[in-house]
């Protein structure tokens, strides 16, 4: 199968959906000639024109509100917020409007919009451009939350997100855009709420998503050499969450490590731990371990930055502690 | 523009009266605890919504505020479903999930009242994008208050609508008070309409107690928008006869001011008198109209009282769907 970059997979998904449905359009900062901060939209302005590729001023509230209003009136906007850190500027529109309109209007109105953004650390751009804020959205009923790690997943899930009738927060990771992976030429979509077992194993389950999935797979590869068989589960969508795949895996391996780049306090990882506690406590042979970001803002210095988030080594250490 | 036909003037008076009587009744039932939570009566401001909504068509959109009953009724909302929603019943516009602050209806083009001051402003950008892309000549009216004019979203929305020439009519209902904060003290320059100059769009300051003046200004702005020229900003100088809510004695505003407004700038009293003076209606015809409206409101209350509560099981089923 051919291999393409994560950002090319994004562009393919967008092109296929824009060609399929004239109601799909894009809005966001620097998505015109510039092609988006990570060049995922390169060439789209030329292809679709300024009415469907709306290059906006730096107005996060009006970008997200622009998506909400267009979604309410029959369109399927894909709004881009350049960094998940900048979603802080648009939280009213995300939390009080997009997430709640369908609910509080008694299902009279629908908000079929995608909020595309990216997060995570690893590029030395410090505390206001490197956060992992997925737990903010995870916490809000009414939002779906997608965090794909591979080119295959990002394409299939973005297409599903655009077709969904509810608001979807779609968080990419800034270190993944240039990664290549197999993506079929023919069209496909990936349903929400279906985890992917990225590696089968029998001794321990590692639950990891977004960029941390790659670290978990690298750790699993190394642990295999030492005779420890890891099953690596990528939820792909955090809301809805495929708890069955996770619980079944835990029932098989009886051990679990949860890996997330986000700070540990109040995290998705902590919630996953609680879910496993509720549903599979009797199957556990060891305490569940979380390998998360430190409870700190992300520092600039590369050595310090690396120390704040999980590494292949810290995942290996956590696995060895409970195997 | 031209002179407004007699029948239309009668229709205007009828709508003003309908809103006034609906709100009076809502306040009564609020005080009897049949309606709970928050209630923000529109009494005193009716001419703004009626003048505006009668200048647009059924398929045009409106975006409303927390003080939104008047907008909904002026756009043609069903009194039964309105009252039922205030009573929290399953037959209400939002099936009892939204209450006073979230009434919305696709058929009416009512994109929702809003519990967040300024929350509708960014959404107007999106509705504006839709109207523009559809090319059917549709427009959106976005109502907001003097309080929202001081919020950052005001700038984002007006700036973005102006640069993209979106067909949106911004109507600021300056009733002088954002809860207790007087706009004379909170609005720098004390000239909300004048802010239009910064965006290069038309701005009008209109006597919001004069339904004809409101209608004329909005008609001008609608015409401008339908021709593809973009948004306008209308500052309607109005006054709420109640405090922020029925139990707010409004101690923050001068007694004489409120007395003077009620005595001299009551849109219902003044417009009725005008129509009587112009021999468009007689006192008897007005009383008939009033009786007929009261009857419809009796029926709405009866409908609301006799309607079933939302079913908890159904609600929980919906909650379970969104896990």
């Amino acid at each position: 199968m051919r291999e393409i970059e994560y950002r090319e997979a994004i562009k393919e998904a967008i092109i296929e959906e824009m060609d399929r449905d004239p109601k799909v359009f894009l809005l966001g900062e620097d998505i015109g000639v510039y092609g988006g901060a990570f060049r995922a939209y390169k060439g789209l302005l030329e292809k679709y024109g300024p009415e469907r590729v709306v290059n906006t001023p730096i107005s996060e509230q009006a970008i997200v509100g622009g998506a909400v209003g267009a979604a309410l009136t029959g369109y399927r906007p894909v709004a881009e917020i350049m960094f998940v850190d900048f979603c802080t500027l648009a939280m009213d529109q995300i939390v009080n409007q997009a997430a709640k309109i369908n609910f509080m209007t008694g299902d009279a109105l629908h908000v079929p919009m995608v909020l595309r953004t990216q997060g995570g650390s690893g590029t030395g751009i410090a505390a206001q451009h490197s956060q992992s804020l997925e737990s903010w959205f995870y916490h809000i009923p009414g939002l779906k939350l997608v965090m794909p790690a591979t080119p295959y997943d990002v394409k299939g899930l973005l297409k599903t997100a655009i077709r969904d009738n509810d608001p979807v927060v779609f968080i990419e990771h800034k270190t993944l855009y240039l990664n290549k992976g197999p993506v079929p030429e023919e069209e496909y979509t990936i349903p929400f709420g279906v985890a992917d077992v990225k590696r089968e194993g029998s001794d321990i389950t590692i639950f990891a998503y977004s960029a941390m999935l790659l670290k978990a797979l690298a750790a699993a590869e190394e642990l295999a050499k030492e005779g420890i068989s890891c099953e690596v589960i990528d939820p792909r969508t955090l809301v809805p969450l495929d708890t069955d795949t996770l619980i079944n895996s835990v029932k098989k391996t009886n051990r679990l490590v949860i890996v997330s780049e986000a700070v540990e306090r109040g995290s998705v990882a902590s919630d996953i731990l609680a879910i496993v506690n509720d549903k599979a406590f009797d199957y556990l042979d060891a305490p569940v371990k979380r390998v998360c970001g430190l409870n700190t803002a992300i520092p600039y210095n590369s050595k310090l930055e690396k120390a704040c988030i999980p590494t292949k080594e810290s995942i290996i250490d956590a696995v060895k502690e409970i195997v | 523009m031209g002179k407004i036909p007699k029948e239309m003037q009668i229709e205007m008076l009828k709508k003003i009266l309908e809103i006034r009587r609906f709100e009076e009744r809502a306040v009564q039932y609020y005080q009897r605890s049949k309606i709970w939570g928050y209630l923000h009566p529109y009494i005193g401001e009716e001419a703004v919504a009626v003048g505006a909504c009668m200048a647009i068509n059924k398929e045009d959109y409106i975006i409303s505020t927390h003080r939104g009953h008047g907008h909904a009724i002026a756009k043609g909302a069903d009194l039964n479903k309105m009252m039922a929603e205030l009573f929290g019943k399953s037959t209400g516009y939002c099936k009892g999930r939204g209450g006073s602050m979230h009434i919305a209806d696709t058929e009416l083009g009512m994109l929702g009242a809003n519990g967040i001051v300024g929350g509708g402003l960014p959404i107007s950008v999106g509705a504006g994008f839709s109207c523009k892309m559809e090319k059917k000549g549709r427009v959106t009216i976005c109502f907001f208050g003097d309080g929202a004019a001081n919020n950052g979203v005001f700038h984002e929305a007006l700036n973005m609508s102006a640069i993209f020439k979106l067909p949106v009519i911004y109507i600021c209902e300056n009733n002088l008070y954002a809860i207790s904060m007087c706009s004379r003290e909170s609005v720098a320059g004390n000239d909300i309409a004048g802010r239009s100059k910064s965006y290069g769009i038309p701005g009008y300051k209109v006597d919001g107690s004069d339904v004809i003046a409101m209608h004329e200004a909005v008609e001008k702005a609608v015409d401008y928008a339908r021709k593809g020229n973009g948004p306008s900003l209308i500052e309607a100088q109005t006054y709420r006869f109640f405090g922020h809510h029925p139990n707010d004695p409004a101690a923050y505003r001068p007694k004489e001011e409120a007395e003077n407004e009620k005595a001299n700038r009551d849109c219902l009293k003044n417009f009725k008198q005008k129509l009587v003076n112009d021999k468009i209606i007689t006192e008897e015809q007005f009383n008939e109209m009033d009786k007929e409206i009261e009857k419809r409101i009796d029926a709405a209350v009866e409908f609301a009282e006799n309607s079933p509560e939302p079913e908890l099981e159904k609600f929980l089923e919906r909650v379970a769907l969104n896990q």
Side-chain angles (χ1 to χ4, degrees):
Chain A
M1 197 185 295
R2 66 171 182 155
E3 296 213 339
I4 63 171
E5 288 174 357
Y6 187 88
R7 64 178 178 184
E8 289 177 79
I10 291 168
K11 188 158 89 179
E12 280 194 3
I14 294 282
I15 289 174
E16 286 177 17
E17 292 308 295
M18 286 182 81
D19 286 346
R20 187 186 61 81
D21 183 354
K23 295 288 189 185
V24 177
F25 76 102
L26 314 172
L27 69 167
E29 296 161 13
D30 301 306
I31 66 166
V33 177
Y34 197 68
F38 295 86
R39 305 297 189 277
Y41 287 171
K42 208 161 170 33
L44 295 189
L45 175 67
E46 291 82 341
K47 191 168 165 59
Y48 296 105
E51 206 155 78
R52 293 184 77 193
V53 181
V54 183
N55 193 30
T56 67
I58 301 175
S59 301
E60 282 78 6
Q61 305 186 83
I63 292 168
V64 179
V68 173
L72 288 174
T73 49
Y75 282 79
R76 288 188 175 268
V78 180
E80 176 173 319
I81 296 293
M82 200 185 282
F83 287 75
V84 75
D85 314 68
F86 308 164
C87 285
T88 54
L89 292 154
M91 284 309 267
D92 171 57
Q93 288 300 316
I94 301 169
V95 174
N96 292 321
Q97 314 298 340
K100 296 199 172 49
I101 286 175
N102 178 251
F103 174 86
M104 67 191 177
T105 62
D107 307 319
L109 301 180
H110 289 271
V111 189
M113 61 169 278
V114 180
L115 174 63
R116 261 194 72 234
T117 186
Q118 60 77 30
S121 65
T123 62
I125 47 178
Q128 295 173 334
H129 290 76
S130 304
Q131 294 172 87
S132 297
L133 295 178
E134 60 269 23
S135 68
W136 286 27
F137 308 106
Y138 183 80
H139 190 69
I140 303 300
L143 296 176
K144 292 178 181 168
L145 178 57
V146 185
M147 294 191 72
T150 66
Y152 179 84
D153 288 343
V154 82
K155 181 174 177 187
L157 288 166
L158 184 52
K159 284 167 69 75
T160 302
I162 291 170
R163 297 178 193 190
D164 201 279
N165 284 328
D166 295 312
V168 177
V169 178
F170 196 93
I171 309 180
E172 296 149 17
H173 195 286
K174 59 174 67 63
T175 62
L176 298 177
Y177 287 112
L178 301 180
N179 286 4
K180 281 192 166 182
V183 175
E185 307 259 2
E186 57 275 16
E187 194 190 5
Y188 66 97
T189 57
I190 298 172
F192 286 177
V194 180
D196 188 30
V197 180
K198 289 282 197 289
R199 181 188 177 109
E200 286 192 23
S202 53
D203 296 330
I204 185 165
T205 301
I206 305 178
F207 177 97
Y209 57 92
S210 192
M212 292 303 107
L213 174 76
L214 306 186
K215 293 189 180 181
L217 286 171
E221 188 66 30
E222 197 146 321
L223 286 160
K225 290 177 200 154
E226 299 179 35
I228 299 171
S229 166
C230 301
E231 179 144 296
V232 181
I233 291 183
D234 177 4
R236 303 192 290 193
T237 62
L238 293 173
V239 182
L241 181 70
D242 179 359
T243 47
D244 289 350
T245 299
L246 171 64
I247 298 301
N248 288 339
S249 177
V250 169
K251 284 180 179 175
K252 181 174 79 175
T253 65
N254 313 112
R255 286 172 171 80
L256 175 64
V257 168
I258 303 162
V259 188
S260 167
E261 184 172 339
V263 298
E264 185 175 76
R265 186 166 53 223
S267 63
V268 173
S270 298
D271 192 58
I272 302 296
L273 196 159
I275 290 168
V276 171
N277 184 60
D278 285 345
K279 295 187 189 281
F281 183 78
D282 290 341
Y283 292 89
L284 290 170
D285 287 344
V288 175
K289 297 292 290 182
R290 284 169 298 167
V291 185
C292 294
L294 301 182
N295 293 328
T296 176
I298 299 293
Y300 164 63
N301 175 279
S302 174
K303 187 177 78 181
L304 302 184
E305 184 187 33
K306 281 198 189 91
C308 291
I309 62 163
T311 57
K312 184 177 81 177
E313 291 71 29
S314 65
I315 298 168
I316 289 172
D317 288 348
V319 167
K320 284 184 173 173
E321 262 187 68
I322 56 171
V323 166
Chain B
M1 315 292 138
K3 202 173 168 322
I4 298 174
K6 283 180 185 177
E7 303 71 43
M8 193 166 173
Q9 294 194 50
I10 294 171
E11 191 55 32
M12 283 172 162
L13 181 63
K14 211 187 225 175
K15 278 285 173 205
I16 290 174
L17 188 58
E18 195 176 315
I19 298 169
R20 177 72 54 99
R21 297 294 180 245
F22 181 90
E23 293 292 63
E24 285 168 353
R25 203 69 71 88
V27 169
Q28 268 179 30
Y29 282 90
Y30 186 74
Q31 275 152 355
R32 291 183 207 165
S33 300
K34 286 275 186 186
I35 298 171
W36 75 315
Y38 280 150
L39 187 84
H40 305 106
Y42 196 62
I43 294 176
E45 307 187 25
E46 298 92 337
V48 180
V50 172
C53 289
M54 288 188 70
I56 56 172
N57 303 327
K58 190 170 181 284
E59 59 274 15
D60 292 319
Y61 297 119
I62 64 166
I63 291 171
S64 173
T65 69
H66 62 286
R67 200 175 300 286
H69 306 165
H71 307 139
I73 295 173
K75 192 74 172 47
D78 179 78
L79 298 183
N80 288 8
K81 286 166 89 175
M82 291 267 304
M83 196 61 90
E85 189 56 37
L86 300 190
F87 277 61
K89 297 299 182 73
S90 62
T91 52
Y93 267 113
C94 314
K95 300 182 187 151
R97 275 188 235 151
S100 163
M101 288 188 286
H102 302 298
I103 288 169
D105 189 60
T106 349
E107 264 179 48
L108 283 180
M110 167 68 169
L111 300 183
N114 213 304
I116 306 294
V117 166
L121 279 159
I123 296 175
S124 74
V125 174
F129 279 134
S130 289
C131 294
K132 189 182 168 192
M133 282 190 282
E134 276 181 337
K135 297 181 178 65
K136 288 180 185 160
R138 224 196 283 238
V139 300
T140 298
I141 288 181
C142 179
F143 293 102
F144 59 101
D146 44 295
N150 293 333
N151 193 290
V153 286
F154 170 84
H155 170 65
E156 288 196 18
L158 269 87
N159 184 62
M160 213 187 282
S161 288
I163 60 169
F164 292 117
K165 291 194 188 299
L166 303 180
V168 184
I169 296 93
Y170 290 97
I171 300 182
C172 176
E173 301 180 306
N174 184 358
N175 65 17
L176 295 183
Y177 296 91
I179 303 190
S180 68
M181 172 52 105
C182 182
S183 65
R184 286 183 294 259
E185 291 156 32
S186 65
V187 176
N190 198 15
D191 181 11
I192 294 167
R195 294 180 176 179
S196 60
K197 290 189 201 91
S198 339
Y199 304 107
I201 63 172
Y204 308 96
K205 200 172 288 224
V206 182
D207 177 358
S209 73
D210 180 347
V211 67
I212 301 284
M214 268 314 299
H215 186 263
E216 275 174 8
V218 177
E219 224 177 23
K220 236 187 278 177
V222 168
D223 185 56
Y224 186 80
R226 289 206 210 278
K227 283 183 177 147
N229 297 317
S232 300
L233 171 61
I234 295 170
E235 177 183 352
Q237 297 179 300
T238 183
Y239 204 78
R240 56 168 150 80
F241 287 4
F242 275 91
H244 178 55
H245 53 77
N247 298 333
D248 167 18
Y252 42 80
R253 58 189 196 187
K255 229 179 155 183
E256 314 75 57
E257 177 190 277
E259 278 167 9
N260 177 51
E261 288 282 342
K262 288 179 202 172
N264 300 315
R265 293 185 73 232
D266 180 341
C267 62
L268 173 60
K269 208 164 69 182
N270 293 353
F271 194 53
K272 177 208 142 189
Q273 200 52 54
K274 180 189 175 298
L275 295 201
V276 171
N277 293 348
D278 291 354
K279 303 211 178 337
I280 293 174
I281 60 162
T282 62
E283 287 283 351
E284 292 70 45
Q285 282 169 327
F286 176 79
N287 292 337
E288 270 310 302
M289 184 193 281
D290 201 1
K291 253 189 239 159
E292 187 266 333
I293 286 170
E294 290 281 18
K295 244 188 241 166
R296 286 174 49 218
I297 291 166
D298 288 340
V301 168
E302 204 183 312
F303 176 79
E305 294 233 58
N306 296 335
S307 286
E309 298 269 339
E311 285 175 50
L312 182 59
E313 294 72 25
K314 265 196 187 161
F315 176 75
L316 294 177
E317 271 169 33
R318 189 193 186 280
V319 171
L321 277 181
N322 289 306
Q323 295 309 298

